[in-house]
Amino acid sequence: MSVNSQAETDVLIIGGGVIGLAIGWRAAQQGLRVVIVDPGPGLGATNAAAGMLTPIAEAAYAERKIFALGQDSLRRYPGFVADLQRSTGLSVGFRQSGTLQVAYDSDDLAMLAETRQLQETFGVHLQQLSGRECRDAEPMLDPSVRGGLLATEDGSVDPRLLATALQAAAQRAGARLVRQRVTEVICAAGRASGGRLADGSVALAHWIVLAAGWQSASMPGLPAGIAPPVRPVKGQIIRLRTNATMTAAGLPPGLLRRTVRGTVHGSGVYLVPRETGELVVGATQEELGPDTAVTAGGMWQLLRDARTLVPGITELELAEAVAGLRPGTPDNAPIIGLSELPGLVLATGHFRAGVLLAPVTADTVAGFLRTGMPDPLWGAFAAGRYRVHSQAAAQTLEEEAACR
Amino acid sequence: MSVNSQAETDVLIIGGGVIGLAIGWRAAQQGLRVVIVDPGPGLGATNAAAGMLTPIAEAAYAERKIFALGQDSLRRYPGFVADLQRSTGLSVGFRQSGTLQVAYDSDDLAMLAETRQLQETFGVHLQQLSGRECRDAEPMLDPSVRGGLLATEDGSVDPRLLATALQAAAQRAGARLVRQRVTEVICAAGRASGGRLADGSVALAHWIVLAAGWQSASMPGLPAGIAPPVRPVKGQIIRLRTNATMTAAGLPPGLLRRTVRGTVHGSGVYLVPRETGELVVGATQEELGPDTAVTAGGMWQLLRDARTLVPGITELELAEAVAGLRPGTPDNAPIIGLSELPGLVLATGHFRAGVLLAPVTADTVAGFLRTGMPDPLWGAFAAGRYRVHSQAAAQTLEEEAACR
């Protein structure tokens, strides 16, 4: 696709979380001129993400299509990380040590069996472990754990390190990072053509990529019906850490060898260890609008469930408690691809899977920006899919889809 | 008492927590030349104190004597605070709104009845409330609360504001505050005569007041047997806060009208509301040496017990989790008065009651520094009381009591 010579740049990316940064990096690597605009890169949902790379975990909430996308992205991760490391020299804490999904009581065990059936319909055959085998794999698990499923291919990454490395890599590849807020998308001749920044300046571009997480829904300047239907879903996490005494006693950094997920009396919790000794416990899921308060109730719930599965966490030091807002969508699946407004590409709504889906989102969007050819992987994630749910909205869209 | 003209100053106070600062203020008010030395005034046990002024609460742990001292200090509080406010214009968040001590199950109720009996032997007659009356007094209490005791005279203060005001007041009264560590107490001619500071300088004084909390035990330079037997007892607290929505809904700032203390299945917890909307939940009691890590287990225990008594805390925002080290003594009572080393006055070991006991400690120590007459209130709290427990230590003391 020919690049508009009137535009100052080829691609303007609104939003510098892992999604926007990864797209910017990949697009710049392909020779495109890229500007990424975010007042605080990596400080949105990315900042409170645990960094689990567990495609199957999200599958239970949506459908096969999202599992397949996650699998595809997970397969890209080793190369993605190696490329980042090569480019920047920075580590992102990538580990491919697997996930152990455990059940605490008989109801949890029944739920685990359902998950396993679902997974088998996807063609995934996870290793089924007894309670004893779970404890052999993870000695810090509570003796009451009844059984588990082991996914050996799963991994994890430190989202903060990832965001830092992506910023460095994008800039090294030639992308410009502007620490401002976009106050408005600018349309001209029926096409998205730029963004107005908080200081009043205007950045014009051939392509506008909206990757502003939950805030994508309220981006000013978009014609009615174009803004993606994302909403903030609050998540609180706790970052704990093992101390020198524990390490000296031979405990693995972060107390566990791999990510442990579980349900405790029906309530879900996960624990993600890192080589640094950190153990991330997450996450609440709260529909409270744009609220990022860390609450007593959130902390209590996470500590209760984590402690039930891994009693030894009580000895761990509390490093941080933090909340973030994930971009949720009506069907819990991301929105990736060209919008009905020419020039505007959407890359948002990744909900709990933004870190997992960053490579596949970045590769396919960057490919489109270079070639103008939509990626076949986008089929199920197009923005247009929500129109069938609302005839009224569809009509409004047709009437108003042109830029005002 | 005549003041040593060789000394640079009249009083050198080692330690700038609420005890050291209050003594310094009161002594300076009486015209004495005062130097207070602390690398971080108010950042020790004071920083993690809740500020309850509840003499009876401590009585269960010790004896009548400590209850009487606490009662005496509580009676001094209104004047102490008014004087501070007059001198500095600073508020310390003083409230005299009472304490409601509640029981959650029948065992807790039995324990409450015992507490009541103990209190009656002290001549204190607290108001006994049924579960319903407890909830009438504090509507946010859980319906399962079985009964309570109301102490209407009790109060609370914000220890951080208190430390700030005491610093200002002490300096306004002429005391000098030196932000350094004392590396050694200096003795000369069988008498404590000064302190060496971290920068190598020496501060000479007629009187040395050791008010360094748990660190008083390991102060270098003291002859054997002179250092007070204090140990660090770790306490973790959580500071929560009510938000604007709650205030708009008519809830009191900090959710409660007064301090609520309780036992939940035998485990003690307290909740101290402040006018600012803060609710302090405390406190763990851990014998781990000088460890100030905030732990997952500490947070979980506090949240669990507080939530059981006042379920509404789950909505509160977490402002801070912090740990401090209280100076514990073998009998949980403070050590106040002249030591067996001439020139050295001890004011430490206040354990959980440093904030409560600051006024009486300051008044009596400052009185002694001016007049040289020991206060009759000190009788039960003299450092020498521990000698009878250890003949070996006593012997060592006699052999080595002279300065090396």
Side-chain angles (χ1 to χ4, degrees):
Chain A
M1 172 161 289
S2 71
V3 155
N4 182 345
S5 60
Q6 300 295 302
E8 292 167 357
T9 194
D10 298 327
V11 185
L12 172 70
I13 300 174
I14 304 174
V18 284
I19 296 296
L21 291 169
I23 293 171
W25 174 44
R26 288 308 204 191
Q29 278 186 319
Q30 301 196 8
L32 295 171
R33 293 171 302 164
V34 173
V35 176
I36 306 168
V37 187
D38 193 312
L43 296 181
T46 299
N47 188 53
M52 276 189 299
L53 306 176
T54 57
I56 203 69
E58 300 308 315
Y61 292 88
E63 288 149 49
R64 187 190 183 101
K65 63 185 184 187
I66 185 165
F67 167 67
L69 192 71
Q71 282 276 57
D72 181 300
S73 203
L74 179 59
R75 277 193 295 266
R76 293 172 197 249
Y77 242 100
F80 184 80
V81 165
D83 199 3
L84 259 180
Q85 173 114 31
R86 209 163 27 238
S87 159
T88 63
L90 298 172
S91 160
V92 299
F94 178 60
R95 302 170 84 183
Q96 208 151 7
S97 45
T99 301
L100 179 60
Q101 199 173 344
V102 301
Y104 187 71
D105 64 17
S106 52
D107 286 348
D108 301 329
L109 203 60
M111 206 191 283
L112 197 68
E114 275 177 40
T115 305
R116 183 163 175 252
Q117 281 187 327
L118 177 73
Q119 290 165 348
E120 299 213 326
T121 68
F122 293 169
V124 185
H125 300 285
L126 301 184
Q127 201 180 331
Q128 201 166 3
L129 303 188
S130 67
R132 170 179 291 275
E133 288 166 334
C134 286
R135 286 187 297 284
D136 286 345
E138 289 292 350
M140 299 303 287
L141 281 175
D142 190 86
S144 306
V145 163
R146 300 282 294 272
L149 291 176
L150 183 64
T152 54
E153 306 295 304
D154 285 357
S156 67
V157 74
D158 183 329
R160 293 177 180 181
L161 296 184
L162 181 62
T164 301
L166 284 171
Q167 282 182 58
Q171 291 177 299
R172 196 154 303 192
R176 198 154 67 84
L177 187 62
V178 178
R179 289 172 188 270
Q180 280 199 57
R181 201 164 50 83
V182 171
T183 58
E184 187 187 5
V185 169
I186 293 170
C187 294
R191 183 178 172 97
S193 58
R196 192 179 309 280
L197 309 195
D199 68 1
S201 67
V202 167
L204 296 179
H206 188 71
W207 290 111
I208 312 300
V209 178
L210 186 54
W214 70 272
Q215 297 186 81
S216 303
S218 55
M219 179 54 59
L222 294 179
I226 293 298
V230 282
R231 67 184 194 284
V233 182
K234 178 175 165 180
Q236 301 187 45
I237 62 162
I238 301 179
R239 292 171 50 233
L240 305 174
R241 67 176 159 233
T242 42
N243 62 33
T245 313
M246 295 169 190
T247 310
L251 292 172
L255 222 52
L256 300 172
R257 296 172 181 162
R258 59 180 68 71
T259 296
V260 168
R261 301 175 56 92
T263 48
V264 179
H265 307 317
S267 170
V269 67
Y270 56 76
L271 301 95
V272 183
R274 301 203 205 287
E275 289 290 357
T276 55
E278 192 168 283
L279 180 69
V280 181
V281 178
T284 66
Q285 242 170 270
E286 302 163 77
E287 303 272 357
L288 294 169
D291 167 77
T292 53
V294 172
T295 64
M299 293 302 94
W300 180 77
Q301 177 196 321
L302 293 174
L303 291 171
R304 176 197 61 188
D305 295 342
R307 191 178 161 280
T308 302
L309 292 182
V310 184
I313 69 146
T314 54
E315 304 303 318
L316 267 54
E317 187 169 346
L318 180 74
E320 189 186 20
V322 64
L325 298 168
R326 316 171 187 93
T329 60
D331 57 0
N332 296 332
I335 301 169
I336 312 172
L338 196 56
S339 74
E340 308 209 355
L341 174 65
L344 182 72
V345 176
L346 302 175
T348 183
H350 291 75
F351 193 31
R352 319 178 340 154
V355 174
L356 169 63
L357 297 177
V360 71
T361 304
D363 291 346
T364 59
V365 172
F368 170 78
L369 295 171
R370 187 172 55 82
T371 64
M373 299 288 292
D375 197 290
L377 284 171
W378 292 354
F381 307 107
R385 72 184 186 274
Y386 298 112
R387 283 206 293 158
V388 296
H389 302 302
S390 163
Q391 280 306 321
Q395 203 156 8
T396 309
L397 183 66
E398 277 165 33
E399 286 162 8
E400 306 193 31
C403 278
R404 284 166 298 189
Chain B
M1 173 158 293
S2 72
V3 157
N4 182 346
S5 59
Q6 300 296 301
E8 292 165 356
T9 194
D10 299 328
V11 185
L12 172 69
I13 300 175
I14 303 174
V18 285
I19 297 296
L21 291 169
I23 292 170
W25 173 44
R26 289 306 204 194
Q29 277 185 321
Q30 301 195 11
L32 295 171
R33 293 170 303 164
V34 173
V35 175
I36 306 168
V37 186
D38 193 313
L43 296 182
T46 299
N47 189 52
M52 277 189 299
L53 306 176
T54 55
I56 204 68
E58 300 309 316
Y61 294 87
E63 287 149 49
R64 187 190 183 102
K65 63 184 184 188
I66 186 165
F67 169 68
L69 191 71
Q71 281 277 55
D72 181 298
S73 202
L74 179 59
R75 279 192 294 267
R76 294 172 197 247
Y77 243 100
F80 184 80
V81 165
D83 199 1
L84 259 181
Q85 171 116 34
R86 206 161 33 237
S87 158
T88 64
L90 298 172
S91 161
V92 299
F94 178 60
R95 303 169 82 183
Q96 208 152 7
S97 44
T99 300
L100 180 59
Q101 199 173 344
V102 301
Y104 187 72
D105 65 17
S106 52
D107 285 347
D108 301 330
L109 203 61
M111 205 190 287
L112 198 69
E114 274 176 42
T115 305
R116 183 162 175 254
Q117 282 187 328
L118 177 73
Q119 290 165 349
E120 299 212 326
T121 69
F122 293 168
V124 185
H125 300 285
L126 300 184
Q127 201 180 331
Q128 201 166 4
L129 304 187
S130 67
R132 169 178 292 274
E133 289 166 333
C134 285
R135 285 185 297 284
D136 287 346
E138 290 291 349
M140 298 303 288
L141 280 175
D142 189 85
S144 305
V145 162
R146 300 283 294 271
L149 290 175
L150 183 65
T152 54
E153 306 294 305
D154 285 357
S156 65
V157 74
D158 183 331
R160 293 177 181 182
L161 296 183
L162 181 62
T164 302
L166 284 170
Q167 281 182 59
Q171 289 177 300
R172 196 155 303 192
R176 198 154 67 85
L177 187 62
V178 177
R179 290 173 187 268
Q180 280 198 58
R181 201 163 52 83
V182 172
T183 58
E184 188 187 5
V185 170
I186 293 169
C187 294
R191 184 179 170 97
S193 58
R196 191 179 311 278
L197 310 194
D199 68 0
S201 67
V202 167
L204 296 178
H206 188 72
W207 290 111
I208 312 300
V209 178
L210 186 54
W214 71 273
Q215 296 186 81
S216 304
S218 54
M219 180 54 60
L222 294 179
I226 293 298
V230 283
R231 69 184 193 284
V233 182
K234 179 175 166 181
Q236 301 187 47
I237 63 162
I238 301 178
R239 292 172 49 234
L240 304 175
R241 65 176 161 236
T242 43
N243 61 34
T245 313
M246 295 169 189
T247 311
L251 292 173
L255 224 52
L256 300 172
R257 295 170 182 161
R258 60 181 69 70
T259 296
V260 169
R261 299 176 55 93
T263 47
V264 179
H265 306 318
S267 169
V269 67
Y270 56 75
L271 300 96
V272 183
R274 303 205 205 287
E275 289 290 358
T276 55
E278 192 167 282
L279 180 69
V280 181
V281 178
T284 66
Q285 243 172 269
E286 302 163 76
E287 303 271 358
L288 294 170
D291 166 77
T292 53
V294 172
T295 62
M299 294 301 93
W300 181 77
Q301 177 196 323
L302 293 173
L303 291 170
R304 177 197 61 189
D305 294 342
R307 191 177 161 279
T308 302
L309 292 182
V310 184
I313 69 144
T314 54
E315 304 302 318
L316 268 54
E317 187 170 347
L318 179 74
E320 189 186 20
V322 64
L325 297 168
R326 317 172 188 90
T329 61
D331 58 358
N332 296 332
I335 301 168
I336 312 172
L338 197 55
S339 74
E340 308 209 355
L341 174 66
L344 183 72
V345 177
L346 301 174
T348 184
H350 291 74
F351 194 31
R352 317 177 345 152
V355 174
L356 169 63
L357 297 176
V360 72
T361 304
D363 291 347
T364 59
V365 171
F368 170 79
L369 295 172
R370 188 173 52 83
T371 64
M373 299 289 291
D375 197 290
L377 284 171
W378 293 352
F381 307 107
R385 73 185 186 273
Y386 298 113
R387 283 206 294 158
V388 295
H389 301 303
S390 162
Q391 280 307 320
Q395 204 157 4
T396 309
L397 183 65
E398 277 167 33
E399 286 163 8
E400 306 195 28
C403 277
R404 284 166 297 185

